[in-house]
Amino acid sequence: MKRGEYQNFVVARLSSIGDIVLTAPVFVAIKEAYPSSRTFLLTKPEYSDIARLLPSLDYIIKYSSLLSAIRELRSTGKIVYIDLHSKLKTKLCGIMADTVYRVTYRKKSLERWLIPVGVVKKQVTPVYVRYLDTLKKIGINASYNKEVKLKEPDGWENVLEKFNLRPRSYICASPAANYATKRTPFKLLDEIAGNLNEKIVLLGGKDVTQTGRLLKERHNNVIDLTGTPSIYESSSIIYGSKCYIGGDTGLSHISAGFKIPTII
């Protein structure tokens, strides 16, 4: 693809929090290769707030339905379509839009499941590296080692004030995760809270409110905010923290993206 030939780049990644955060190097690489380009993220409405943290992203297209997404994509004009979700709905969007180049991320889902059990013996390639490898198909050769930081959340100090928190006066932790194997065990969080002379702010969805309540009852230094802040408010609270402790979850990726010390 010739430099300066096309100016609209659409990255499709509908979910989830961690995977969207990991698209950050992709947008930075596109802008470095095509400084005057317009960059778009196609994602579900519930993740649009997190998308606001991505550097070098200009516009967000909310995927409310297949038809509405296609209409908005077509109104954008001629596009280079980078499908990092690689599902039927994102493939259809790429086909039906006014697409001049279309590239698709290869997930290697089976391989990812077989490596941990020893059936396939090779090192797992980080997701962001495979995202950047997808760009090579359109002639963008990005550095894997470039440090990319998420943007500062708008109004993060106001969020801290809302929850009576002071910047850098607390540690964030979360027991939450979509999969049980990725959750931080209650016993570990209980031990951390009992041994640290620090305020610990617990974050997570409504599915971990019982865990948060139990830890708060057992430890005076625990502030239980599970089930309360929005995901964008949670990102602001993480941004204002000393460090973050949690499993392999979206909140952990947000923390690492802010360059906050993160223990997973």
Side-chain angles (χ1 to χ4, degrees), residues 3-21:
R3 298 280 175 181
E5 189 175 2
Y6 299 107
Q7 296 300 317
N8 297 322
F9 290 79
V10 176
V11 175
R13 182 70 228 191
L14 302 186
S15 63
S16 52
I17 295 171
D19 291 307
I20 290 168
V21 168

Side-chain angles (χ1 to χ4, degrees), residues 58-149:
D58 297 320
Y59 305 98
I60 299 167
I61 299 174
K62 297 178 183 179
Y63 183 102
S64 300
S65 69
L66 180 60
L67 289 178
S68 66
I70 291 170
R71 276 197 300 268
E72 190 158 357
L73 285 169
R74 292 190 68 84
S75 70
T76 303
K78 294 186 181 298
I79 64 172
V80 177
Y81 188 77
I82 304 158
D83 186 357
L84 298 183
H85 206 100
S86 194
K87 292 285 188 182
L88 178 59
K89 58 182 71 174
T90 53
K91 290 177 181 177
L92 287 173
C93 283
I95 292 168
M96 299 301 292
D98 190 1
T99 307
V100 288
Y101 282 95
R102 178 163 53 93
V103 293
T104 303
Y105 164 66
R106 189 178 167 211
K107 284 192 169 183
K108 300 183 180 179
S109 300
L110 180 60
E111 183 179 287
R112 197 170 71 245
W113 283 105
L114 293 177
I115 287 174
V117 296
V119 177
V120 174
K121 298 186 183 296
K122 63 183 293 187
Q123 200 170 22
V124 178
T125 305
V127 170
Y128 82 92
V129 170
R130 287 186 278 134
Y131 282 176
L132 290 175
D133 283 345
T134 305
L135 293 182
K136 291 180 180 178
K137 300 174 184 177
I138 53 173
I140 299 176
N141 295 297
S143 170
Y144 300 142
N145 300 317
K146 183 179 178 63
E147 184 173 290
V148 175
K149 186 177 181 179

Side-chain angles (χ1 to χ4, degrees), residues 121-225:
K121 298 186 183 296
K122 63 183 293 187
Q123 200 170 22
V124 178
T125 305
V127 170
Y128 82 92
V129 170
R130 287 186 278 134
Y131 282 176
L132 290 175
D133 283 345
T134 305
L135 293 182
K136 291 180 180 178
K137 300 174 184 177
I138 53 173
I140 299 176
N141 295 297
S143 170
Y144 300 142
N145 300 317
K146 183 179 178 63
E147 184 173 290
V148 175
K149 186 177 181 179
L150 295 180
K151 293 193 293 189
E152 179 182 288
D154 293 333
W156 69 273
E157 290 170 312
N158 295 331
V159 174
L160 265 58
E161 187 176 340
K162 174 182 175 180
F163 292 101
N164 297 313
L165 299 170
R166 289 185 298 106
R168 312 292 177 248
S169 68
Y170 58 91
I171 290 170
C172 280
S174 177
N178 287 335
Y179 301 100
T181 53
K182 292 187 175 184
R183 289 176 188 157
T184 310
F186 175 87
K187 185 178 179 181
L188 177 59
L189 289 174
D190 188 45
E191 188 176 334
I192 290 169
N195 286 286
L196 285 182
N197 186 26
E198 298 275 0
K199 287 182 182 177
I200 300 174
V201 176
L202 295 179
L203 298 172
K206 293 181 179 179
D207 56 320
V208 293
T209 52
Q210 185 176 358
T211 300
R213 187 166 56 250
L214 286 172
L215 286 166
K216 181 176 172 58
E217 288 172 356
R218 290 171 61 85
H219 304 283
N220 292 328
N221 59 330
V222 168
I223 300 171
D224 176 28
L225 295 183

